[in-house]
Amino acid sequence: LLVLMAADQSPGVGVVSTARGWLGSAQNGDGGWALQTGGTSVVDSTAAAIQALRAAGVSASSGVVTSALAYLRALQMNDGGFPNRAGDVRSNAESTAWVIQALRACKIDPATWTKNGRAPAPLLRSLQKADGSFAHSKSAKGQSAMMTTTQAAIALAGRPFPFELGGKIHPAKHL
């Protein structure tokens, strides 16, 4: 859905409508989504699904989105950030970034989502290293920072998916 909407497909029509319906039906009973159908809900998949549904025209006040937001809210950690899944003991940059983007997609200011007076963005900013990259978590050692930094930068820029890259995108000639 994110790719289809970034490619200017019409929400509610054809394959977008079919994909939107399927995604809604794949939601777990706890309000979240898993990495694959039938699995345990995870924060990243849930936040991505919220962005996809919103981009495809689903209202932020719909039951599918509000139950997904409730799932995310229940997992917010005391530092304001988010873990990848229930039972994880610490927040991580990627999951926190995904949630910030999902909140933005729902027109919710992430600063209003606090736990113990702490919001997600300050936690994310605290994971930025001196070289400008972002650590996965406060205790991360030796991990590649490329994906983490990309996700954090997009979230801190206030951009939910999908977003325009600017200019016309052309498929490769062999396609």
Side-chain angles (χ1 to χ4, degrees):
L1 280 172
L2 292 171
V3 171
L4 290 169
M5 299 316 298
D8 291 328
Q9 297 296 307
S10 297
V13 178
V15 70
V16 172
S17 178
T18 301
R20 186 175 71 189
W22 177 86
L23 186 56
S25 72
Q27 187 175 32
N28 288 336
D30 61 6
W33 277 267
L35 292 172
Q36 58 187 15
T37 306
T40 302
S41 296
V42 294
V43 169
D44 300 17
S45 295
T46 301
I50 290 170
Q51 291 174 78
L53 290 167
R54 291 289 295 131
V58 176
S59 169
S61 62
S62 70
V64 69
V65 173
T66 58
S67 64
L69 289 170
Y71 166 80
L72 294 176
R73 178 69 107 165
L75 291 180
Q76 190 170 21
M77 307 293 280
N78 288 332
D79 61 8
F82 292 84
N84 184 254
R85 62 179 44 94
D88 285 357
V89 297
R90 69 180 51 88
S91 297
N92 71 71
E94 296 91 337
S95 297
T96 301
W98 276 109
V99 172
I100 290 171
Q101 288 181 265
L103 294 173
R104 291 278 185 208
C106 292
K107 309 285 190 235
I108 297 170
D109 181 354
T112 65
W113 263 40
T114 61
K115 185 162 183 184
N116 293 334
R118 296 181 175 155
L123 176 272
L124 190 54
R125 282 188 211 96
S126 77
L127 296 173
Q128 189 168 21
K129 300 187 274 185
D131 67 2
S133 68
F134 286 78
H136 171 74
S137 67
K138 297 224 184 244
S139 64
K141 291 182 175 53
Q143 293 179 338
S144 169
M146 185 172 70
M147 181 179 80
T148 305
T149 300
T150 301
Q151 194 66 41
I154 293 167
L156 291 173
R159 304 292 299 271
F161 289 129
F163 55 84
E164 291 186 25
L165 299 174
K168 181 100 171 125
I169 300 172
H170 299 283
K173 290 183 181 194
H174 70 279
L175 298 176

